[in-house]
Amino acid sequence: MNGNDNSLKPELVFHQPWKKQDKRAHWLIWLFCVIVFAVVSVLDRSHTKLDPGFNPHVFALINAWVNSIVSLLLLTAYFLVKRKQWELHRKCMLAAMALSVIFLLGYIAHHVCCGPTYYGDLNHDGQLNMEEKNLAGSLRWVYYILISTHITLAGLVMPFVLYSAYRALTGEYAKHKKLVRYTFPIWLYVSVTGVLVYMLISPYYQ
């Protein structure tokens, strides 16, 4: 058995695999994740509002479209791999990863320009009074569940997405398959709930 698992699944070899560099990959993946976690944590605790000269909530709208496209790409990639269309599958997944980077940049831009938005906050004072809570109703709790699971799972799945891509690109298809068994549904959930979160919170943008 060779190191890249090609002997296990010869039909999966659809491109020249990258050279394995596990130690370097581990460092790069975790460095990227730590930087992203740090930036997001700082943004969640900051209340900066920079004026870009246009409606900054356009970043949130773009991100909603990005999440929609990522969801479609993930589902398309899933059906492509079932049909053994490996090259198209790879292109869909790489496109989904590239769009996720665009999402991250849009997320940062939106938070830097707008600061936090609270569900039900009709007067935009950063607090929910009893009247606003009553008007928001039980849908407020639906939003809280969606946003909390969306953020938590987005953070948890990030390194697994990167490792899954690395294993595929280095030709370690057996390891890739084991990872995506759990990574795929979580990533799909994160992308779909990203759209739902935008639909729920956007009416409260100032």
Side-chain angles (χ1 to χ4, degrees), residues 50-52 54-61 109-110 113-114:
L50 301 180
D51 185 6
F54 55 87
N55 184 356
H57 292 303
V58 70
F59 292 120
L61 175 59
H110 185 246
C113 295
C114 301

Side-chain angles (χ1 to χ4, degrees), residues 12-192:
L12 293 183
V13 183
F14 52 85
H15 71 293
Q16 183 63 37
W18 287 6
K19 182 180 178 181
K20 278 191 64 179
Q21 295 182 319
D22 283 357
K23 187 175 181 179
R24 184 179 182 183
H26 295 330
W27 274 103
L28 290 175
I29 288 172
W30 286 107
L31 178 62
F32 178 81
C33 291
V34 168
I35 291 174
V36 171
F37 293 155
V39 170
V40 171
S41 297
V42 170
L43 288 175
D44 285 343
R45 289 167 174 76
S46 66
H47 295 270
T48 58
K49 290 187 178 182
L50 301 180
D51 185 6
F54 55 87
N55 184 356
H57 292 303
V58 70
F59 292 120
L61 175 59
I62 292 172
N63 275 353
W65 279 104
V66 167
N67 271 323
S68 299
I69 297 171
V70 168
S71 299
L72 292 175
L73 285 171
L74 292 177
L75 290 172
T76 301
Y78 174 81
F79 288 112
L80 286 172
V81 81
K82 290 295 183 181
R83 299 179 63 180
K84 299 185 178 181
Q85 294 181 273
W86 315 117
E87 183 62 23
L88 287 176
H89 168 79
R90 181 176 73 95
K91 290 179 178 179
C92 281
M93 295 307 300
L94 290 177
M97 293 187 69
L99 285 173
S100 296
V101 174
I102 294 174
F103 171 88
L104 179 61
L105 295 175
Y107 177 88
I108 293 172
H110 185 246
H111 273 66
V112 168
C113 295
C114 301
T117 300
Y118 301 98
Y119 187 85
D121 186 13
L122 293 172
N123 60 9
H124 310 294
D125 64 350
Q127 298 179 0
L128 292 181
N129 56 42
M130 189 56 65
E131 182 181 358
E132 288 173 328
K133 289 181 179 180
N134 290 334
L135 288 173
S138 58
L139 199 58
R140 182 165 62 100
W141 298 108
V142 174
Y143 171 79
Y144 289 153
I145 292 171
L146 286 176
I147 190 64
S148 60
T149 55
H150 171 80
I151 293 174
T152 301
L153 291 176
L156 291 175
V157 81
M158 185 187 307
F160 292 99
V161 169
L162 296 175
Y163 272 114
S164 298
Y166 172 71
R167 295 304 179 191
L169 292 172
T170 55
E172 300 174 278
Y173 301 113
K175 291 181 179 180
H176 171 75
K177 185 176 180 180
K178 288 180 181 179
L179 281 170
V180 299
R181 186 176 301 170
Y182 306 101
T183 304
F184 171 79
I186 297 175
W187 191 2
L188 182 61
Y189 176 85
V190 169
S191 62
V192 171

Side-chain angles (χ1 to χ4, degrees), residues 1-9 13 20 170-172 175:
M1 183 183 300
N2 58 35
N4 62 10
D5 298 326
N6 288 345
S7 60
L8 293 176
K9 296 287 185 179
V13 183
K20 278 191 64 179
T170 55
E172 300 174 278
K175 291 181 179 180

